Amino acid sequence: MEAIRPVARTLLRDRAYEAIRDAIVAGEIEPGAVVRDADLAERLGLSRAPVREAFSRLVDEGLLESKPQSYTRVTPLVAADVRDAAAVVGAMHELVTRVAVPRLTGADVDAMRAANARFAVAVADGEVDLALRADDALHDVLVRVSGNRAAAATVARYTPLIRRLERRRFGEGGTCRSAGLHERLIEACAAGDVDAAVRVTAEIWRTLADLADDLADNVADSETPGGPGSG
């Protein structure tokens, strides 16, 4: 019988990172909440070391903020941060779209269509997790086909900041990105029209910048005497 191999330390760190990141994005750990490595290590069934490493990565990515010897807590949802992240991620998606479209196969386009169908159903049913996973699956086709690992890493790093806002908007009765915009993107990809695909990609990411602007306006209104959040 083969010996059982120990789990690599890096895998434990990644497991902790993904679990805590997903909980923050989902709102299970709310903005402003203080997090403690001992508590989360116990909940995750891990030692404190991989959790501390995950904290360091999440601080670097803007989902946690830390004051040494004092606290580590979830960052607030800040419009400027979301807008900046959307600009960077959008630029990466435009880049990979330009490279990927000429390389797409029929199977790749079919995978995008299937993902958009799942997306539309999930949005209609109010299933935010399924909608966002389908959205990721659609765009990940282009990221994968482009073969640009630097762009893929940048997208993975900054997308969680954007997802926090998308989930909040979805929960307030809004929708995630439009299935109609996705359909236009897919048709441009199927036709091999690089310029059209890039234009639609830019439009998709502009909608997220608009969401960030809406967030900024709502915060300003809530802080204005007599505004919606006053009284």
Side-chain angles (χ1 to χ4, degrees), residues 147-213:
N148 190 322
R149 291 189 293 179
T154 302
V155 168
R157 173 171 179 168
Y158 290 107
T159 295
L161 286 171
I162 303 165
R163 288 300 191 222
R164 293 175 74 191
L165 178 57
E166 286 186 293
R167 291 187 64 94
R168 170 171 164 169
R169 183 60 175 264
F170 198 105
E172 293 172 348
T175 63
C176 299
R177 284 175 241 164
S178 166
L181 281 174
H182 286 165
E183 189 59 37
R184 286 171 50 199
L185 173 61
I186 294 166
E187 291 308 315
C189 290
D193 191 334
V194 174
D195 290 339
V198 171
R199 284 196 300 272
V200 178
T201 298
E203 186 174 350
I204 288 170
W205 289 93
R206 278 198 302 272
T207 64
L208 291 173
D210 290 343
L211 284 182
D213 291 336

Side-chain angles (χ1 to χ4, degrees), residues 63-152:
L63 291 175
L64 292 178
E65 56 188 6
S66 181
K67 182 177 180 180
Q69 308 303 319
S70 182
Y71 62 79
T72 300
R73 65 188 179 195
V74 178
T75 56
L77 190 57
V78 178
D81 292 343
V82 177
R83 191 183 302 109
D84 289 347
V88 170
V89 174
M92 293 300 99
H93 277 291
E94 290 179 46
L95 172 64
V96 301
T97 297
R98 189 171 295 281
V99 174
V101 169
R103 303 178 181 177
L104 291 170
T105 66
D108 293 326
V109 174
D110 287 345
M112 294 175 71
R113 291 192 192 282
N116 197 35
R118 297 195 302 273
F119 174 85
V121 170
V123 169
D125 292 344
E127 294 286 350
V128 61
D129 289 322
L130 294 178
L132 294 179
R133 282 201 293 271
D135 184 76
D136 284 338
L138 188 156
H139 292 285
D140 283 350
V141 172
L142 295 168
V143 175
R144 172 181 56 78
V145 172
S146 78
N148 190 322
R149 291 189 293 179

Side-chain angles (χ1 to χ4, degrees), residues 6-15 47-50 52-53:
V7 177
R9 179 182 179 82
T10 54
L11 294 182
L12 294 178
R13 176 196 63 204
D14 291 344
R15 280 176 50 198
S47 68
R48 294 171 67 177
R52 285 196 296 267
E53 292 176 25

